[in-house]
Amino acid sequence: MARQLDYRTIHEIFARLHALEAEPRGELEHVNAYTLLVAVALSAQATDAGVNKATRALFAQVTTPAQMLELGEEGLTEHIRTIGLYRNKARNVIALSRLLVDQYDGEVPSSRAALQSLPGVGRKTANVVLNMWFHQPAMAVDTHIFRVANRTGIAPGRDVEAVERALEDHVPAPFALHAHHWLILHGRYICVARKPRCGICPIRDLCPYEEKTA
């Protein structure tokens, strides 16, 4: 775990990431808040590419909680059986769809507490939806962000909650909205787990990681 970087260095890191891609986008395909919520819930322990492959036909047919309930658990299972833990995920999606219909008039709520009250929706899933759909500067810490935050010293922490708090405390306000996507994409394509691609890293000179690759 690297030491916490100073504000000026963190600001420069995000300024460079912003210069490379001013409006980073998440890679999960969706058409509205509900399909985004479902896609994120399905993405646990699965790749975005794998989820997208499974949900394209699903979201062509289903875009609301009511339509999901009409499809039913078995119908949903047929669409998502290529995704890990698909049976449990199907049960959760049907249950959260029922709750959205019964308690929220079929609309996805915009508060973290309400989102986390839904079956199968944890803090990370809630934060992704808050960030991507409701444009809140929420920090959804996955394995990529946890790795990058600790390697670079942007937001070191021993667990996900600590990294999330450090990101909220140390990411400069002008970059807070898109910080989640910049970090996850950086971790997915450059600062990878086994052999980071330091040779093409835009923040190599600012990063204190000692085991840099050529």
Side-chain angles (χ1 to χ4, degrees), residues 37-38 40-44 88-89 91-93 95-96 99 115-126:
L37 174 63
V38 171
V40 179
L42 294 176
S43 71
N88 187 56
K89 290 176 180 178
R91 284 193 294 271
N92 283 334
V93 168
L96 72 83
L99 204 60
L115 286 167
Q116 287 189 248
S117 74
L118 301 173
V121 178
R123 187 177 181 88
K124 184 175 73 173
T125 296

Side-chain angles (χ1 to χ4, degrees), residues 68-180:
M68 187 68 78
L69 294 176
E70 287 183 20
L71 180 65
E73 186 174 327
E74 288 305 312
L76 174 58
T77 298
E78 289 303 309
H79 280 282
I80 66 169
R81 62 173 57 252
T82 57
I83 300 174
L85 305 175
Y86 68 92
R87 290 195 181 279
N88 187 56
K89 290 176 180 178
R91 284 193 294 271
N92 283 334
V93 168
I94 293 299
L96 72 83
S97 299
R98 171 60 64 191
L99 204 60
L100 287 175
V101 169
D102 291 346
Q103 297 188 17
Y104 297 98
D105 296 322
E107 299 294 325
V108 175
S110 60
S111 80
R112 182 182 289 113
L115 286 167
Q116 287 189 248
S117 74
L118 301 173
V121 178
R123 187 177 181 88
K124 184 175 73 173
T125 296
N127 281 348
V128 172
V129 174
L130 292 174
N131 181 263
M132 289 183 63
W133 191 261
F134 295 106
H135 307 296
Q136 297 181 23
M139 303 292 179
V141 180
D142 68 351
T143 56
H144 298 298
I145 294 179
F146 185 82
R147 179 175 63 254
V148 173
N150 275 291
R151 274 183 181 170
T152 61
I154 292 172
R158 297 192 177 279
D159 53 41
V160 168
E161 290 77 14
V163 169
E164 182 181 332
R165 289 194 300 271
L167 286 170
E168 291 172 346
D169 289 343
H170 296 288
V171 173
F175 304 114
L177 179 60
H178 294 309
H180 160 256

Side-chain angles (χ1 to χ4, degrees), residues 42-65:
L42 294 176
S43 71
Q45 298 181 330
T47 66
D48 287 1
V51 172
N52 289 339
K53 185 176 180 180
T55 57
R56 285 186 188 117
L58 173 65
F59 293 160
Q61 178 182 352
V62 172
T63 59
T64 69

Side-chain angles (χ1 to χ4, degrees), residues 1-5 148-157 207-210:
M1 185 190 305
R3 62 176 177 79
Q4 177 69 57
L5 292 179
V148 173
N150 275 291
R151 274 183 181 170
T152 61
I154 292 172
C207 176
Y209 184 58
E210 294 181 354

